[in-house]
Amino acid sequence: MGLTNAELGLVLTTVAGSATALGAAVVFSERLVQLASKPFLAGALGLSSGVMLYVSFVEIFVKALDGFADSSAFGDSDAYLMATAALFGGMGFMSGLDALVHWLDPNRSAHHASDPRKHMADPAPDLAPCCELDDGVFDEIERRRAAAAAGGPGAG
């Protein structure tokens, strides 16, 4: 007794959603959170992106191969050559586009824009940069809060 396409789609979607929920639930386990070091997360991200790229390239390549083979202009052997040339040509085009963007923006000012003060006309000098808060910032906040409560200097 096999599953229909709709039932198979529902099962696979449920499995994918459950995997997402399981991955999100990892944060509730202290032991698993300790395993999430930067090298581990970098490796996991590299593995998952590699799998996604592989699956995408295989599916796209097969569709391109079929498209070239169905074309009246190419035979089967020429279709494989054209699909391979198109794949590597697209990679070359994207590499060239990346090089052009870096040539146009040598300081890479468009990258790493996590600190919005870099792009403000008049940044507030007494605010800590986004995502770079350290203990000194929190100590300064507490010092100012205490001074304001006491009504003394430095409240400002």
Side-chain angles (χ1 to χ4, degrees):
M1 184 167 135
L3 297 174
T4 66
N5 284 342
E7 293 169 337
L8 180 62
L10 180 64
V11 168
L12 292 176
T13 303
T14 303
V15 169
S18 300
T20 302
L22 180 65
V26 165
V27 299
F28 296 112
S29 170
E30 237 178 90
R31 186 172 183 186
L32 290 176
V33 169
Q34 290 172 355
L35 290 175
S37 64
K38 285 188 180 185
F40 175 78
L41 291 176
L45 183 61
L47 176 68
S48 64
S49 64
V51 168
M52 288 188 286
L53 283 172
Y54 172 76
V55 170
S56 298
F57 284 149
V58 166
E59 288 183 13
I60 291 171
F61 187 81
V62 169
K63 287 185 181 186
L65 185 61
D66 291 342
F68 281 120
D70 291 343
S71 165
S72 59
F74 303 104
D76 286 341
S77 62
D78 291 338
Y80 189 81
L81 177 67
M82 291 304 296
T84 303
L87 175 69
F88 285 106
M91 288 180 184
F93 175 75
M94 291 306 296
S95 295
L97 188 61
D98 184 53
L100 175 68
V101 167
H102 288 290
W103 179 74
L104 292 173
D105 187 16
N107 296 328
R108 297 183 181 164
S109 62
H111 297 285
H112 307 293
S114 63
D115 185 2
R117 296 182 312 144
K118 293 178 185 174
H119 306 287
M120 295 170 57
D122 185 22
D126 60 339
L127 293 178
C130 176
C131 304
E132 293 181 11
L133 298 176
D134 60 357
D135 291 336
V137 172
F138 293 112
D139 293 341
E140 178 66 19
I141 292 170
E142 289 301 318
R143 187 191 65 75
R144 289 184 184 189
R145 184 177 293 147

